[in-house]
């Protein structure tokens, strides 16, 4: 996947957590890829993890699918368990970008408790919120395609595959996500407004929120993000002993 570099060296940093908030189609996944390349920390996308479970037909996947296919959020317990398991994998030792998590106040409070319980040291923690006009969200989501096998994302307008309808990586067929149907896009935006905007307010009150104009071109959003990450003195979380 194409990523633009913003400095010559990949930064070596201690554990760092970034949370990306924004409505569906805001560009969180694209930005997480760029942050991964720049800071050498993986992206944890709860949506992608859930879709992986669905493709593998796990019990969790079956439970998640009925909600996700209706444009609704999956239960907090299920999603938090999944994040707890993923975040302890070795590649997250130096940090991670949480893409699409937390999405409810319950999940945000769970994350606070989790970090307090399991991290001894200060963890730089910052929340970036991408603000995008609704009309633009529709334009982007209508052009989104996914590989039916590996789940890689494409946008037929701005990031098309080399061969129409086929994944560059494995050649498998590209599909439209079920929840990218027009009526479900509406519904997911409403769910975002009801459930996730309060999460943004929660972090704003704690002084941890930074906002970015996500209507801008991809490279501008990335440049602004890197500037924020480099310049901001991240609020430090006081760790308790295990
Ligand atoms: P996404 O790929 O982020 O758009 O997520 C796709 C779908 O997965 C959402 O519409 C939800 O049904 C589910 N999902 C992803 N992340 C979460 C989360 N943090 N909490 C609850 N449901 C989620």
């Amino acid at each position: 996947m194409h990523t633009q570099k913003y400095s010559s060296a990949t930064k070596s940093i201690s554990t760092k957590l970034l949370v990306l908030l924004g409505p569906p189609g805001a560009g969180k996944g694209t930005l997480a890829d760029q942050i991964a390349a720049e800071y050498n920390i993986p992206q944890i996308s709860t949506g992608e993890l859930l879709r992986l479970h669905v493709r593998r037909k796990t019990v969790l996947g079956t439970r998640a699918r009925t909600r996700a296919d209706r444009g609704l959020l999956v239960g907090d317990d299920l999603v938090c368990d999944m994040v707890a398991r993923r975040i302890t994998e070795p590649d997250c030792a130096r940090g991670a970008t949480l893409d699409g998590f937390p999405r409810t106040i319950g999940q945000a409070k769970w994350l606070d408790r989790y970090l307090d319980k399991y991290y001894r040291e200060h963890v730089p923690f910052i929340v970036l919120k991408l603000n995008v006009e609704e009309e633009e969200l529709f334009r982007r989501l209508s052009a989104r395609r996914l590989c039916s096998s590996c789940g890689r994302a494409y946008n037929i307008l701005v990031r098309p595959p080399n061969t129409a309808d086929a994944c560059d990586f494995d050649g498998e067929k590209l599909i439209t996500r079920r929840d990218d149907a027009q009526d479900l896009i509406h519904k997911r935006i409403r769910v975002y407004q009801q459930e996730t905007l309060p999460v943004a307010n929660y972090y704003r009150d704690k002084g941890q929120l930074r906002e970015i104009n996500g209507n801008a071109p991809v490279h501008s959003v990335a440049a602004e993000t890197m500037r924020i990450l480099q310049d901001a003195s991240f609020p430090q979380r006081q760790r308790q002993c295990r």
Side-chain angles (χ1 to χ4, degrees):
M1 193 167 292
H2 174 74
T3 52
Q4 185 176 346
K5 298 293 284 177
Y6 295 88
S7 65
S8 52
T10 295
K11 282 158 201 65
S12 181
I13 49 168
S14 58
T15 304
K16 179 188 291 269
L17 272 187
L18 304 173
V19 168
L20 294 184
L21 293 181
K28 301 186 291 297
T30 303
L31 188 55
D33 281 343
Q34 288 162 321
I35 294 169
E38 181 74 1
Y39 281 86
N40 194 21
I41 56 174
Q43 165 201 22
I44 300 181
S45 157
T46 43
E48 242 168 60
L49 288 175
L50 288 167
R51 280 188 291 280
L52 189 64
H53 277 280
V54 169
R55 285 202 297 280
R56 289 180 179 164
K57 299 187 168 56
T58 66
V59 175
L60 191 156
T62 311
R63 282 173 62 197
R65 185 174 185 168
T66 50
R67 305 272 306 166
D69 279 358
R70 285 155 56 211
L72 300 170
L73 293 184
V74 171
D76 284 354
D77 288 354
L78 201 147
V79 177
C80 293
D81 278 357
M82 208 173 62
V83 171
R85 260 177 275 136
R86 178 66 185 91
I87 214 169
T88 49
E89 286 177 20
D91 64 326
C92 297
R94 295 194 308 123
T97 298
L98 298 176
D99 161 6
F101 181 91
R103 230 140 144 152
T104 64
I105 288 288
Q107 293 176 14
K109 292 191 171 167
W110 174 88
L111 184 61
D112 278 347
R113 289 195 300 275
Y114 181 86
L115 294 177
D116 283 343
K117 192 169 174 192
Y118 291 108
Y119 286 77
R120 292 182 212 200
E121 300 158 9
H122 298 286
V123 175
F125 184 86
I126 192 166
V127 181
L128 296 176
K129 175 170 178 274
L130 291 170
N131 297 321
V132 182
E133 306 281 334
E134 202 162 317
E135 201 180 310
E136 176 65 9
L137 296 176
F138 271 90
R139 203 179 66 81
R140 292 182 189 177
L141 291 173
S142 307
R144 185 158 72 177
R145 301 290 181 274
L146 282 193
C147 173
S148 52
S149 174
C150 70
R152 270 182 176 70
Y154 296 85
N155 180 301
I156 53 173
L157 299 177
V158 296
R159 196 169 52 178
N162 295 329
T163 309
D165 295 330
C167 177
D168 293 344
F169 182 74
D170 57 22
E172 295 296 329
K173 188 171 157 28
L174 300 188
I175 53 168
T176 303
R177 268 171 58 169
R178 280 168 194 261
D179 59 355
D180 280 346
Q182 293 282 310
D183 54 332
L184 288 180
I185 294 177
H186 271 294
K187 195 162 168 185
R188 287 160 61 213
I189 292 173
R190 297 288 91 81
V191 169
Y192 170 78
Q193 289 164 342
Q194 283 163 12
E195 302 280 350
T196 310
L197 284 183
V199 176
N201 294 334
Y202 175 77
Y203 288 125
R204 186 179 291 115
D205 290 347
K206 286 155 69 85
Q208 292 171 321
L209 189 77
R210 302 285 188 283
E211 299 193 57
I212 294 177
N213 173 14
N215 298 295
V218 171
H219 67 273
S220 310
V221 173
E224 171 71 355
T225 300
M226 301 314 160
R227 193 189 61 71
I228 290 174
L229 297 185
Q230 279 164 15
D231 293 353
S233 48
F234 289 179
Q236 305 282 300
R237 295 175 52 84
Q238 183 67 50
R239 295 275 143 246
Q240 295 164 354
C241 289
R242 275 178 223 254

